[in-house]
Amino acid sequence: MKLHSIILSLSILLIAQTAFAQCGSSKSKHHASHSWSHHDDLVDVVSNNENFGTLTVALKTAGLVSTLQKEGPFTVFAPSNAAFDKLPDGTVEGLLKPESKGQLTKILTYHVVEGTFYAKDLINAIQNSNGQYQIKTVSGGRLTASLRGSTVIITDETGARTAVLQTDVNASNGVAHVIDSVLLPK
């Protein structure tokens, strides 16, 4: 199965290249860009920032814009353009085809969690759960949050890991955390 091979290759690549980023410490905590307003919904937050062009196109293609504009609240682990660039050649283009809408929707909703989880909430949950906290996504899948030093690491169902690069980007209907890789469900 071609997709299985791509996911396996991606998992190996991501594990080998897991980036370290600080999350939760006051010295290293990144703040939202001045172009991001708390009054913007989650779709506005990503679509008004050029670093999320691929995510914006994917949300539109999957028909998820109106979903992420609802009241929520939601927590979104938002992959940047650089995160999408790590996928094997042709993967993004293939996912954006009309016949791949179901698969694209599953991948994107795998990045969304019901409720608002700020960095401090994630860190507390990890520490109160013996170092690993299970998160149920809107797609029905599971993510595992852990800490490496003060860096929040998210592990997807394929075993691939991604670091949270920027935390607590507020929106009117939730919060986004910028991640350095695309999360993939089984």
Side-chain angles (χ1 to χ4, degrees):
M1 181 181 263
K2 187 175 180 181
L3 179 61
H4 180 65
S5 297
I6 290 171
I7 291 172
L8 180 59
S9 298
L10 179 62
S11 298
I12 293 168
L13 176 68
L14 294 178
I15 290 169
Q17 295 182 351
T18 299
F20 295 96
Q22 298 300 312
C23 176
S25 75
S26 60
K27 287 183 179 179
S28 63
K29 189 173 185 178
H30 298 278
H31 295 280
S33 165
H34 71 287
S35 66
W36 293 347
S37 166
H38 184 67
H39 301 290
D40 293 339
D41 61 44
L42 287 161
V43 174
D44 292 334
V45 166
V46 297
S47 64
N48 290 332
N49 187 300
E50 65 187 28
N51 291 320
F52 298 100
T54 306
L55 179 58
T56 301
V57 169
L59 289 170
K60 289 177 182 177
T61 301
L64 293 174
V65 170
S66 62
T67 301
L68 287 178
Q69 289 178 323
K70 291 182 180 175
E71 187 174 324
F74 302 106
T75 298
V76 175
F77 293 100
S80 64
N81 293 338
F84 281 99
D85 289 344
K86 289 181 179 182
L87 293 171
D89 288 342
T91 302
V92 173
E93 294 80 6
L95 287 170
L96 295 176
K97 291 182 179 179
E99 62 269 19
S100 300
K101 184 177 179 180
Q103 184 180 13
L104 178 61
T105 300
K106 183 175 181 180
I107 290 170
L108 293 174
T109 57
Y110 188 61
H111 289 76
V112 181
V113 177
E114 288 186 24
T116 304
F117 295 95
Y118 289 97
K120 66 180 177 144
D121 301 323
L122 281 172
I123 291 169
N124 287 337
I126 293 165
Q127 291 172 337
N128 292 329
S129 300
N130 296 320
Q132 291 191 340
Y133 179 66
Q134 296 288 312
I135 305 166
K136 183 179 178 187
T137 68
V138 170
S139 72
R142 297 265 180 209
L143 299 171
T144 303
S146 60
L147 288 172
R148 186 171 290 147
S150 61
T151 303
V152 172
I153 303 295
I154 305 294
T155 305
D156 66 23
E157 291 174 335
T158 71
R161 296 180 183 118
T162 186
V164 177
L165 300 177
Q166 183 175 354
T167 63
D168 299 344
V169 179
N170 287 308
S172 62
N173 61 341
V175 64
H177 304 293
V178 181
I179 56 176
D180 69 351
S181 299
V182 176
L183 301 165
L184 296 172
K186 281 187 177 176

